Amino acid sequence: MEETADRQERIDPLSFYLDKSNPGPWRAVGALTTAVAADAEAAGLDPRLIELVNLRVSQINGCAYCLDVHTRRAVARGETAQRLGLLAAWKDAGVFDETEKVALCLAEAVTRPEAVEDRDAAQLLAHRRLTAQQYAAVQWLAIAMNTTNRISILSHHPVRRAPERTGRGGPREQSGTRPAGDRLPHRAARRRRRTPRTARPCGAAGAAHRAPGRAAGHDGGAGAAAEGALADRSLVLPGRLRPG
């Protein structure tokens, strides 16, 4: 009887939040992510690059909640819509600099450690470009992000829809067109309703929605053989590192 009652009282496992069921470990994970972010900034990593690393790891793991959180943080730190949209294709996009490329490559290697040759190549490339502190910081960022990704995925953390942008006349249609009821059937009627040119207001109709919110490298002793095999003029990554 007690076992039956316990089963009845248990919640749906697909609505079971690991962070709330075990707050102690969750607080420890929070402390880890805070310390890792502080080390990354102290190492001189661009705040936007920190968020790009978090986003790329979350893309690979498919964590919707973390993608939502870190997209908003990236925008708050000045990241552009173009670069965010091209992040999944960063190798071919042409909008990321060399430091960002090696950091993203290293973050991918941390997230997919089973590809040994790719991992070793990514570490060699990153160690030649980044300082020792940055090299460590990027890997710790990816380690922490992988941890929080798995907690959010297994807890089924929901993504809350952002409010629609509104203009002077109320909520804006997603298609950008006027509601059908607002359209006048006759040209003459439209002319009668038209505001005189001299009285037309100027300026944008909608208010923008605001979401919350490289340093020189060193050789690091990679070795003459590795340096000769990996050096090139444009940091073209090995073919096996290209997205599948």
Side-chain angles (χ1 to χ4, degrees):
M1 294 294 294
E2 292 182 1
E3 182 179 353
T4 303
D6 178 65
R7 287 182 179 177
Q8 291 177 345
E9 291 176 1
R10 294 173 65 182
I11 63 173
D12 179 357
L14 301 185
S15 301
F16 191 93
Y17 287 1
L18 292 171
D19 50 335
K20 293 184 178 179
S21 67
N22 298 77
W26 178 245
R27 284 194 295 269
V29 171
L32 170 66
T33 58
T34 299
V36 164
D39 280 355
E41 292 185 2
L45 290 177
D46 190 313
R48 295 177 302 169
L49 176 55
I50 293 173
E51 294 307 326
L52 290 177
V53 168
N54 289 331
L55 284 168
R56 185 62 191 129
V57 172
S58 299
Q59 285 178 342
I60 295 171
N61 290 325
C63 182
Y65 182 82
C66 294
L67 282 169
D68 178 52
V69 169
H70 289 281
T71 295
R72 288 188 275 110
R73 289 183 182 176
V75 170
R77 290 183 166 191
E79 192 52 88
T80 67
Q82 181 192 41
R83 280 162 49 94
L84 289 173
L86 290 170
L87 180 58
W90 62 266
K91 293 182 180 73
D92 301 316
V95 298
F96 300 98
D97 64 29
E98 304 305 313
T99 297
E100 291 167 336
K101 287 180 181 179
V102 296
L104 290 170
C105 185
L106 184 57
E108 290 185 355
V110 173
T111 307
R112 297 168 173 153
E114 69 279 2
V116 178
E117 292 184 5
D118 292 353
R119 183 192 66 207
D120 292 349
Q123 288 183 309
L124 287 167
L125 287 168
H127 196 265
R128 291 175 57 209
R129 178 76 188 186
L130 305 174
T131 67
Q133 291 77 18
Q134 292 171 340
Y135 174 74
V138 169
Q139 293 179 89
W140 273 108
L141 283 170
I143 291 168
M145 195 72 253
N146 273 287
T147 301
T148 54
N149 281 170
R150 281 152 178 75
I151 294 170
S152 289
I153 290 170
L154 295 172
S155 298
H156 300 271
H157 287 161
V159 175
R160 291 178 174 80
R161 184 182 295 273
E164 296 288 340
R165 292 189 295 176
T166 59
R168 291 172 300 180
R172 182 179 299 176
E173 294 287 309
Q174 289 189 355
S175 63
T177 60
R178 295 174 60 183
D182 249 9
R183 298 172 186 160
L184 296 175
H186 302 294
R187 186 175 299 174
R190 288 200 297 270
R191 282 200 298 268
R192 286 197 297 271
R193 287 187 56 178
R194 186 178 299 165
T195 305
R197 182 175 298 274
T198 55
R200 286 184 184 176
C202 61
H209 169 69
R210 295 184 180 177
R214 315 184 170 65
H218 67 293
D219 287 338
E227 186 170 347
L230 295 170
D232 58 74
R233 63 185 183 188
S234 60
L235 192 63
V236 176
L237 299 176
R240 64 177 67 90
L241 292 183
R242 303 178 68 83

